[in-house]
Amino acid sequence: MTGTFRYTSPEPPRTATGVVADVYAQLATDFGIDRATTFVVLSASPPLLAGTWAVMRESLLAGQVSRTGKELVAAGVSLANRCPYCVTAHTVLLHATGDHTLAERIARGEQPEDPGHRQLLAWGKDMSTPQPFPSRQAPEYIGTALAFHFINRIVSSLLTEDMLPGGAQKYRLVRSVAGRSLARTVRRELVPGESLALLETEGAAPGWAADTPIGTAFGALRTAAHLGAGLLADEDAELVRTSVAAWDGVSPLPLQGEGLPDRAERPGARLALLAARAPYRITDDDVAAWQAPPFTDHCLVHLIAFGAICAVERIEATLTARTEEHA
């Protein structure tokens, strides 16, 4: 299990047991990809793996809202976060929905022709703008957006940019064929809530989730991700929280100077803060400065997840404040 994984060495999915095996089985059935590296990279932590899968399944895959619309929101989030791996994934999944022209417009960095599609893509890029959907659809759209704010940061931190071997995703035909192979699975209607039995943590459901399974999944992921704070000294964990709370949700960290902890002096705080605000800037040196014994793959994915969930909560807070302003 090498190549795609930058800093971890996950166990091969075929050897998985317990909840990890159960997540992989549900992935294969409901997502159509039984060895999705986005999730395999989290397998060192079953609670993180199950929580991430549940949030994505219950928001993006299940429910009544248009899958095309939710893929556009996820693509917008991924573009804003500079995550080429995830942008490619969403263009492939748009091919799977049958929206081939739309998929290729996104792949080329162009705007959708349909005004409604343009609004959804734009909202995914900036969730502080007015929501272009009715309130009854908010749990699925918001859940999808926040799921990919988390997933983008995991992917950018721990995987390479290539979704397919050898960078084959750069070819339109490959994207189209990959999407068509998933068409039957993507168009299936899933029963909401079936991922919740896999969860190993629990937490308070957010108000925006409106008592849906999405809220249960999000609460579980939040709890699992915050466990990573325990890998840092109290003052370092507080530094990460404070920096992210003061962040505007968009601007990246400066490459040096005020705001970014020194690699030699505070490597864990630096890594978590980069994961939150600029995961695409994480370097081999950043990881090597922190990941020494006794830290393992399990520890690394939890530290990255801590930074990621802090960023998600900052974006969620902006969204909640705007909703309250217009209530």
Side-chain angles (χ1 to χ4, degrees):
M1 298 296 292
T2 58
T4 300
F5 304 98
R6 294 175 67 192
Y7 305 118
T8 63
S9 300
E11 294 295 325
R14 66 178 180 275
T15 67
T17 59
V19 71
V20 174
D22 292 339
V23 170
Y24 288 159
Q26 201 170 73
L27 264 168
T29 301
D30 292 352
F31 193 39
I33 306 174
D34 60 351
R35 298 186 180 187
T37 52
T38 306
F39 295 97
V40 174
V41 75
L42 292 171
S43 60
S45 170
L48 273 178
L49 171 63
T52 304
W53 161 244
V55 171
M56 193 190 82
R57 183 197 185 274
E58 301 306 330
S59 57
L60 177 67
L61 308 187
Q64 300 302 311
V65 174
S66 158
R67 178 67 180 269
T68 294
K70 290 188 286 188
E71 290 292 348
L72 281 167
V73 164
V77 170
S78 301
L79 286 164
N81 289 330
R82 307 185 201 182
C83 184
Y85 182 108
C86 291
V87 173
T88 298
H90 297 301
T91 61
V92 167
L93 290 166
L94 282 168
H95 275 294
T97 66
D99 296 291
H100 305 296
T101 300
L102 177 59
E104 289 308 305
R105 291 187 74 87
I106 301 300
R108 294 192 298 268
E110 299 173 0
Q111 289 295 310
E113 294 179 340
D114 179 84
H117 288 166
R118 286 199 298 273
Q119 290 178 329
L120 287 168
L121 183 68
W123 183 79
K125 291 179 180 178
D126 183 359
M127 292 171 64
S128 68
T129 58
Q131 296 174 4
F133 43 79
S135 58
R136 68 179 183 279
Q137 296 180 345
E140 290 181 48
Y141 276 123
I142 293 172
T144 294
L146 294 180
F148 282 94
H149 271 295
F150 184 82
I151 290 170
N152 287 170
R153 287 167 167 81
I154 298 297
V155 168
S156 291
S157 300
L158 300 175
L159 301 181
T160 66
E161 293 186 355
D162 287 334
M163 177 187 168
L164 298 174
Q169 72 279 348
K170 65 185 176 182
Y171 299 109
R172 174 175 180 164
L173 178 60
V174 172
R175 292 192 296 269
S176 177
V177 170
R180 291 172 194 272
S181 72
L182 297 171
R184 180 175 296 180
T185 302
V186 165
R187 297 172 191 180
R188 284 179 55 230
E189 185 171 332
L190 301 183
V191 176
E194 289 192 343
S195 68
L196 303 187
L198 302 172
L199 297 174
E200 295 198 330
T201 50
E202 59 183 29
W208 54 259
D211 296 322
T212 64
I214 300 167
T216 303
F218 189 84
L221 175 59
R222 191 198 306 265
T223 297
H226 272 293
L227 293 174
L231 294 162
L232 299 174
D234 290 346
E235 58 269 27
D236 283 350
E238 186 58 28
L239 170 67
V240 175
R241 295 189 186 99
T242 302
S243 174
V244 177
W247 175 48
D248 64 5
V250 177
S251 302
L253 276 166
L255 286 172
Q256 56 187 359
E258 186 178 355
L260 185 60
D262 181 79
R263 182 185 295 126
E265 295 179 1
R266 306 177 84 174
R270 179 187 179 96
L271 194 52
L273 203 47
L274 282 168
R277 293 182 51 181
Y280 47 84
R281 286 184 175 168
I282 290 175
T283 67
D284 295 355
D285 289 341
D286 290 322
V287 175
W290 179 79
Q291 194 183 28
F295 296 134
T296 62
D297 284 1
H298 175 272
C299 300
L300 179 60
V301 297
H302 266 286
L303 184 64
I304 297 298
F306 170 59
I309 201 65
C310 286
V312 169
E313 290 177 327
R314 176 66 185 90
I315 294 159
E316 181 190 24
T318 300
L319 176 73
T320 302
R322 182 173 181 84
T323 301
E324 291 174 350
E325 287 174 4
H326 293 81

